[in-house]
Amino acid sequence: GPVSSVSSDGESSDGELSNAGSSDASSSTVGRDESREVDALIAIQDALYDRPGVLPTARALSHFGEHSLGWLAISGLGYAAARRRGDATAQRRWVEAGVGAFGTHAASVIIKRIVRRPRPHDPRIRIGVSTPSKLSFPSSHATSTTAASILIGRAAGLPPYLLPALLVPPMLTSRLVLGVHYPSDVAAGFTTFLAGADIEVVGMRANDILTAT
């Protein structure tokens, strides 16, 4: 039968060629995917970046959502108002909102350090704001905003998904306008932590029912 040559380290030359081909194909696929995301990001910036008010608004949202500090401030104000009313249930829900926003932010930071995807760096992409790290996936602003909007809405007694519908799209779009995330970064942040916040809300509602009975 056919004989494969073997190198001095015991590795088959056929195996080396096969592995090299597989690695090249994988790299090529990743390169094409990133190229498509770069093109999408450039298209978004071309459409929105120079429109009046867009860049200042995007930067304001970026500062508001940094380390989930804006959401923590809103949760603190909600807690203070509930405490003045003597509403213990509302106090707990506002605490949960703050903890949920910060907790999802922290979780996204851990994922970033595992994935270690660099932020967009194509020279055609305009970077509109500074960032505390060079890591991109997932978007921490997307994760904390998704969780905070669901949990704050619940604490405030608003209809489910009203705040997410109002708050999440502008925050996600702002990360793309500013050129600090790929589209898949914000999509992953939204979908992953939307599911997580849903599970948390279901758990808290079950706890409310058990507490009331």
Side-chain angles (χ1 to χ4, degrees), residues 41 45 49 119-121 125-129 131 173-182:
L41 196 50
Q45 288 196 321
Y49 196 92
R119 291 189 186 273
H121 51 273
I125 295 172
R126 290 171 282 185
I127 307 301
V129 72
T131 57
T173 303
S174 74
R175 307 312 287 162
L176 304 176
V177 169
L178 295 170
V180 292
H181 282 290
Y182 293 106

Short mmCIF file of all heavy atoms in Angstrom, two decimals, residues 41 45 49 119-121 125-129 131 173-182:
data_model
loop_
_atom_site.label_atom_id
_atom_site.label_comp_id
_atom_site.label_asym_id
_atom_site.label_seq_id
_atom_site.Cartn_x
_atom_site.Cartn_y
_atom_site.Cartn_z
N LEU A 41 -19.64 47.23 9.83
CA LEU A 41 -19.35 48.32 10.77
C LEU A 41 -19.08 49.62 10.02
O LEU A 41 -19.57 50.69 10.42
CB LEU A 41 -18.15 47.92 11.63
CG LEU A 41 -17.88 48.71 12.91
CD1 LEU A 41 -19.13 48.82 13.76
CD2 LEU A 41 -16.76 48.04 13.69
N GLN A 45 -21.24 53.14 10.23
CA GLN A 45 -20.62 54.43 10.52
C GLN A 45 -20.85 55.43 9.37
O GLN A 45 -21.10 56.61 9.62
CB GLN A 45 -19.13 54.26 10.77
CG GLN A 45 -18.82 53.58 12.09
CD GLN A 45 -17.38 53.76 12.51
OE1 GLN A 45 -16.46 53.71 11.68
NE2 GLN A 45 -17.14 53.96 13.79
N TYR A 49 -22.52 58.15 11.55
CA TYR A 49 -21.48 58.82 12.35
C TYR A 49 -21.55 60.34 12.26
O TYR A 49 -21.41 61.04 13.27
CB TYR A 49 -20.10 58.33 11.89
CG TYR A 49 -18.98 58.63 12.85
CD1 TYR A 49 -18.60 57.70 13.82
CD2 TYR A 49 -18.27 59.84 12.79
CE1 TYR A 49 -17.56 57.96 14.70
CE2 TYR A 49 -17.23 60.10 13.68
CZ TYR A 49 -16.88 59.17 14.62
OH TYR A 49 -15.85 59.42 15.50
N ARG A 119 -10.58 44.39 19.90
CA ARG A 119 -11.57 45.33 19.38
C ARG A 119 -11.28 45.64 17.91
O ARG A 119 -10.18 45.38 17.42
CB ARG A 119 -11.55 46.63 20.20
CG ARG A 119 -12.08 46.46 21.61
CD ARG A 119 -12.24 47.82 22.30
NE ARG A 119 -12.60 47.66 23.70
CZ ARG A 119 -13.84 47.55 24.15
NH1 ARG A 119 -14.85 47.59 23.30
NH2 ARG A 119 -14.09 47.41 25.43
N PRO A 120 -12.26 46.20 17.21
CA PRO A 120 -12.03 46.55 15.80
C PRO A 120 -10.79 47.44 15.64
O PRO A 120 -10.61 48.39 16.40
CB PRO A 120 -13.30 47.32 15.42
CG PRO A 120 -14.35 46.76 16.33
CD PRO A 120 -13.64 46.48 17.63
N HIS A 121 -9.96 47.10 14.67
CA HIS A 121 -8.71 47.84 14.48
C HIS A 121 -8.42 48.15 13.02
O HIS A 121 -7.33 48.60 12.69
CB HIS A 121 -7.55 47.03 15.08
CG HIS A 121 -7.51 45.60 14.61
ND1 HIS A 121 -8.22 44.61 15.25
CD2 HIS A 121 -6.89 45.01 13.56
CE1 HIS A 121 -8.03 43.47 14.62
NE2 HIS A 121 -7.22 43.69 13.59
N ILE A 125 -12.06 52.17 10.17
CA ILE A 125 -13.07 52.33 11.22
C ILE A 125 -12.69 53.50 12.12
O ILE A 125 -11.56 53.60 12.60
CB ILE A 125 -13.17 51.03 12.05
CG1 ILE A 125 -13.69 49.88 11.18
CG2 ILE A 125 -14.10 51.24 13.24
CD1 ILE A 125 -13.65 48.54 11.86
N ARG A 126 -13.63 54.39 12.33
CA ARG A 126 -13.41 55.55 13.20
C ARG A 126 -13.74 55.16 14.64
O ARG A 126 -14.82 54.64 14.92
CB ARG A 126 -14.28 56.71 12.75
CG ARG A 126 -13.84 57.32 11.43
CD ARG A 126 -14.85 58.33 10.90
NE ARG A 126 -16.00 57.67 10.27
CZ ARG A 126 -16.97 58.32 9.64
NH1 ARG A 126 -16.93 59.66 9.57
NH2 ARG A 126 -17.97 57.67 9.08
N ILE A 127 -12.80 55.42 15.55
CA ILE A 127 -12.98 55.11 16.97
C ILE A 127 -13.43 56.39 17.66
O ILE A 127 -12.68 57.37 17.72
CB ILE A 127 -11.69 54.57 17.61
CG1 ILE A 127 -11.15 53.39 16.79
CG2 ILE A 127 -11.96 54.16 19.06
CD1 ILE A 127 -12.10 52.23 16.66
N GLY A 128 -14.66 56.38 18.19
CA GLY A 128 -15.25 57.60 18.71
C GLY A 128 -15.18 57.79 20.20
O GLY A 128 -15.62 58.82 20.71
N VAL A 129 -14.60 56.81 20.93
CA VAL A 129 -14.54 56.93 22.39
C VAL A 129 -13.43 56.02 22.90
O VAL A 129 -13.10 55.01 22.26
CB VAL A 129 -15.91 56.54 23.01
CG1 VAL A 129 -16.15 55.04 22.91
CG2 VAL A 129 -16.02 57.01 24.45
N THR A 131 -11.79 53.28 25.56
CA THR A 131 -12.33 52.10 26.24
C THR A 131 -11.36 51.64 27.32
O THR A 131 -10.15 51.83 27.19
CB THR A 131 -12.56 50.94 25.24
OG1 THR A 131 -11.31 50.64 24.59
CG2 THR A 131 -13.60 51.32 24.20
N THR A 173 -26.60 50.15 19.18
CA THR A 173 -26.20 50.92 17.99
C THR A 173 -25.05 51.87 18.31
O THR A 173 -24.14 52.06 17.49
CB THR A 173 -27.41 51.71 17.46
OG1 THR A 173 -28.48 50.82 17.18
CG2 THR A 173 -27.04 52.47 16.18
N SER A 174 -25.07 52.43 19.51
CA SER A 174 -24.01 53.38 19.88
C SER A 174 -22.64 52.71 19.89
O SER A 174 -21.64 53.33 19.52
CB SER A 174 -24.30 53.99 21.26
OG SER A 174 -24.06 53.07 22.32
N ARG A 175 -22.58 51.45 20.27
CA ARG A 175 -21.29 50.74 20.31
C ARG A 175 -20.72 50.55 18.91
O ARG A 175 -19.51 50.55 18.70
CB ARG A 175 -21.43 49.38 21.01
CG ARG A 175 -22.08 49.41 22.37
CD ARG A 175 -21.49 50.48 23.27
NE ARG A 175 -20.16 50.12 23.73
CZ ARG A 175 -19.29 51.00 24.25
NH1 ARG A 175 -19.59 52.27 24.30
NH2 ARG A 175 -18.11 50.59 24.67
N LEU A 176 -21.62 50.40 17.93
CA LEU A 176 -21.19 50.24 16.55
C LEU A 176 -20.82 51.59 15.94
O LEU A 176 -19.82 51.70 15.23
CB LEU A 176 -22.30 49.58 15.73
CG LEU A 176 -22.80 48.23 16.26
CD1 LEU A 176 -23.96 47.72 15.41
CD2 LEU A 176 -21.67 47.20 16.29
N VAL A 177 -21.62 52.61 16.22
CA VAL A 177 -21.31 53.95 15.73
C VAL A 177 -19.94 54.40 16.22
O VAL A 177 -19.16 55.01 15.47
CB VAL A 177 -22.39 54.95 16.17
CG1 VAL A 177 -21.95 56.39 15.91
CG2 VAL A 177 -23.71 54.66 15.46
N LEU A 178 -19.62 54.09 17.47
CA LEU A 178 -18.35 54.49 18.05
C LEU A 178 -17.18 53.63 17.59
O LEU A 178 -16.03 53.94 17.89
CB LEU A 178 -18.44 54.46 19.57
CG LEU A 178 -19.41 55.48 20.19
CD1 LEU A 178 -19.60 55.20 21.68
CD2 LEU A 178 -18.91 56.90 19.97
N GLY A 179 -17.48 52.53 16.88
CA GLY A 179 -16.42 51.69 16.33
C GLY A 179 -15.67 50.85 17.33
O GLY A 179 -14.54 50.42 17.05
N VAL A 180 -16.26 50.58 18.48
CA VAL A 180 -15.54 49.84 19.53
C VAL A 180 -15.98 48.38 19.64
O VAL A 180 -15.44 47.65 20.47
CB VAL A 180 -15.69 50.55 20.89
CG1 VAL A 180 -14.95 51.88 20.87
CG2 VAL A 180 -17.15 50.75 21.27
N HIS A 181 -16.98 47.98 18.83
CA HIS A 181 -17.42 46.59 18.84
C HIS A 181 -17.82 46.16 17.44
O HIS A 181 -18.28 46.98 16.63
CB HIS A 181 -18.63 46.40 19.77
CG HIS A 181 -18.28 46.33 21.21
ND1 HIS A 181 -17.61 45.27 21.78
CD2 HIS A 181 -18.50 47.21 22.22
CE1 HIS A 181 -17.44 45.49 23.07
NE2 HIS A 181 -17.97 46.67 23.36
N TYR A 182 -17.67 44.86 17.18
CA TYR A 182 -18.22 44.26 15.97
C TYR A 182 -19.71 43.98 16.20
O TYR A 182 -20.14 43.85 17.35
CB TYR A 182 -17.50 42.95 15.65
CG TYR A 182 -16.06 43.11 15.26
CD1 TYR A 182 -15.03 42.76 16.15
CD2 TYR A 182 -15.70 43.60 14.00
CE1 TYR A 182 -13.70 42.90 15.79
CE2 TYR A 182 -14.37 43.74 13.64
CZ TYR A 182 -13.37 43.38 14.54
OH TYR A 182 -12.05 43.52 14.20
#
